[in-house]
Amino acid sequence: MAVTINIDTGGTFTDGVFLRDGEARGVKTFSTPHDLTVGMLECVEAGAESLGLSVEQMLAETTVFRFSSTIVTNAIIERRGPRVGLLVSEGARPELIDAGYVSPDLVLGVREPLEAAAVAGAIETLLDRGARVIAVSLEGSWQDASAERAVRNIVRSLYPTYYVGSVRVFLASDVSALPGVPARTNTIVLNALVHDYLARSVYPAEEKLRRRGMRCPLLLVDGHAGLARSAKTLAIHTHNSGPAAGVSGAATLADTLRAASGLVVTLDIGGTSSDVSVADSRSLAVAWSRDLEGLRVHVPSVAVDALPYGGGTIASASGSELRLGLQSAGAHPGPACFDRGGEQATITDANLVLGFLDPGGFHGGRLALRPELSRQVLEDLARELRVEATELARRMRRTMEKGIAAGIARVLRRRGEAPEGATLVAYGGGGPLHAASVAGLVGIGHVVVPALSSVFSALGVSKLDVQHLYPVSLDGESPARSLDQALDAAARDVRAEGFPVEAALAKLEAVNQETGEAFWRREGIRLPEAGRALHAVLDEAVSAAKPSGNALLVLTTVVPSGRTGEEGHRAPPAAASGEGVTPRERAVDWGGGPVPTAIHAASSVACGQQIAGPALVVSDDQTIAVPPGWSLERRERRLPSGDEGMSKLRVAEYLNIDLDTERWECVNCGHDLGPGEENYKKGCLVAARDPREIHGSDFAPDPKWCRIVEFYCPGCATLVEVEYLPPGHPITHDTRLDLASLKRRFAAGRGSGQ
């Protein structure tokens, strides 16, 4: 049986989702800050145990291993890495000097055109002053990289790679094809800083896994929600990979949620931070220019706002004012109640004292919490603030939720979106515990907590594909040449990932560099045919992009997950019935004093059962808080897999109708294509093509009278339907179902065992 392993390492916990025979197992272990890959390997061991296998058996069956981490994120925050020597054009003063990422004496300018002797002298000076790696960022190199490449050749001639003292050289032209010298310089210096640190973490971990039987490559998650082998990954591109995977998973879920606006707000509360993003049901916006630790960089990434609030967030006093968000207790020592040496009050301590957490049920009972230690540290801080300890705990929880709500409101304002009609998808260990209160403060009335929500980012990792992105120049007469270069690089990269070129799909988009929002797109093209197909529409793409002034053409290649051995999975089943299960009860302080609160085991909550607040719904690794005035209902939504389930009928080769939800969906990925009583084609991406592209000039219908209209699934780019229409003719509605009759017949057949 095939196993897929999907691991997301955060600041406090390392989460894993292990898939075997269509079943998903979620596990959670503590992260190991001294070496995050140690926590990853411990997560592998826990995953094998959850599947009832030895590590060696599981790894021998593993066909895909995906890994996202905070290795690069932490290295940048901590300035962890070798001393970087920076070579720039004469007269430039990079902002990284003021930010402390590079020492002023390790920045030298060179005059262009380059003289080999001057370059060699500058390199020797940087090395003599203590530089261990060299970054090169010259003006104009985004258009012509020859000068930067010449510098690299000079360094290699002086310090060949076969010498012990060889010098690694990083070029801005290798990591950014966009204009803007400051951002290009920032990007290459940060990449040079973290490259070796990531390599020294990942390669030994992969070697340890191979010694224990793993045969597949270790695939790293990038911040743009794609996968690549470590040998094809830029270190800086892995920044924020875990949060990006979570947002990607929520976007996949967006159609199923059917929010009135189609808008999904994601909230991932972990032990160290809260990550907030917005994803609509049609696309995942990947920005190419953003701020990273206060520096503008060219790093393609899903837009995620990190807020300094998590379960381990430490509370402190500033005079008579409560302060939150400056520090986190992390996994070690962790909150005081972990009894690992923590001596400061955290959000977890506050939630425990208020009654939201069960001292004996935390982390599936594997970690007993000590309420008396939480109360002790809260009382210590309360004396400084001259309040009672329980009131301090209330204020801490309230302050955190107001801070997160303000962060969500900022994200919505930036996008010009309103909260009404949106859906908040809450995950991470703390997301479900605070989501309803946060949503109420923002003005969102609908919250969804997915199955396996405590490890949802790892679940998002499990749905990612091998993916590479290539910017295409819009300057002068270069777009056609730039597109050819991008296509050549894409073909090389697909082969280097271990796949035939025929396995990849290509997409060309015109996007806003800052927000990642696409305003022109052509996708679902097999890579071998992409050259002809995309050159045919290139003028249209350039015309769409140029007026915006901040646009970028991006070629994306994807190897769909089916090609990497992924079989899909089923979410844990709901209880057959909630009747006869009496919930426990305990006092929980919701902000105005202790209130008797029903405590439901998640495993006992039946599909369709409604629970009125105040209530807590608990499982091994999460607690869902249902405040007074809110209600919770469990709904069953199987995640995409090869088993279509009992409520789904195959209507066409790539088209299902879900009789439970009365919605169209893609067979391959489960993407929602709209209400069953409407035309499913309205939920597809549409491409109108000249028939001569398909049939050739000799046999094609006259394009003045006929166009080929293709309908693609937005979730996986599957070609769902093709029709031949006169230009301007409305899309045909050729599949109409009598849903009521189908449901009656289906129910009768299910009742008789058919």
Side-chain angles (χ1 to χ4, degrees), residues 255 282 651-658 662-667 671-686 709-714 718-723 731-737:
D255 282 330
R282 297 298 176 204
V651 177
E653 184 177 4
Y654 297 112
L655 193 64
N656 280 341
I657 185 71
D658 187 325
E662 298 187 5
R663 308 283 294 185
W664 293 109
E665 68 174 39
C666 171
V667 166
H671 192 89
D672 187 294
L673 298 174
E677 68 274 8
E678 295 184 9
N679 192 350
Y680 68 87
K681 295 172 186 174
K682 293 180 180 179
C684 294
L685 297 173
V686 182
V709 183
E710 298 173 334
F711 300 90
Y712 291 93
C713 169
T718 294
L719 181 60
V720 178
E721 181 61 284
V722 178
E723 57 187 27
I731 293 172
T732 61
H733 190 175
D734 52 3
T735 305
R736 299 174 187 266
L737 303 179

Side-chain angles (χ1 to χ4, degrees), residues 169-188:
V169 182
F170 298 89
L171 307 183
S173 52
D174 286 342
V175 300
S176 173
L178 306 182
V181 173
R184 290 166 56 81
T185 302
N186 295 341
T187 305
I188 192 57

Side-chain angles (χ1 to χ4, degrees), residues 51 69 116 123 213 222 282 399 439 477 497 546 683 695 706 744:
L51 293 174
S69 78
I123 295 298
D222 284 330
R282 297 298 176 204
T399 300
E477 299 179 358
E497 294 284 4
K546 279 197 169 180
H695 301 291
C706 179
R744 284 195 299 270

Side-chain angles (χ1 to χ4, degrees), residues 356 583-584 588 590 596-600 611-618 623-628 630-632:
F356 286 95
R584 295 182 293 114
V588 177
W590 295 87
T597 298
I599 312 298
H600 298 262
I611 295 173
L616 300 177
V617 179
V618 299
T623 298
I624 304 174
V626 187
W630 285 75
S631 65
L632 175 145

Side-chain angles (χ1 to χ4, degrees), residues 580-596:
V581 179
T582 303
R584 295 182 293 114
E585 188 175 279
R586 72 168 177 258
V588 177
D589 191 328
W590 295 87
V595 175

Side-chain angles (χ1 to χ4, degrees), residues 234-256:
L234 286 171
I236 192 67
H237 283 186
T238 67
H239 183 269
N240 247 21
S241 57
V247 176
S248 177
T252 302
L253 199 61
D255 282 330
T256 303

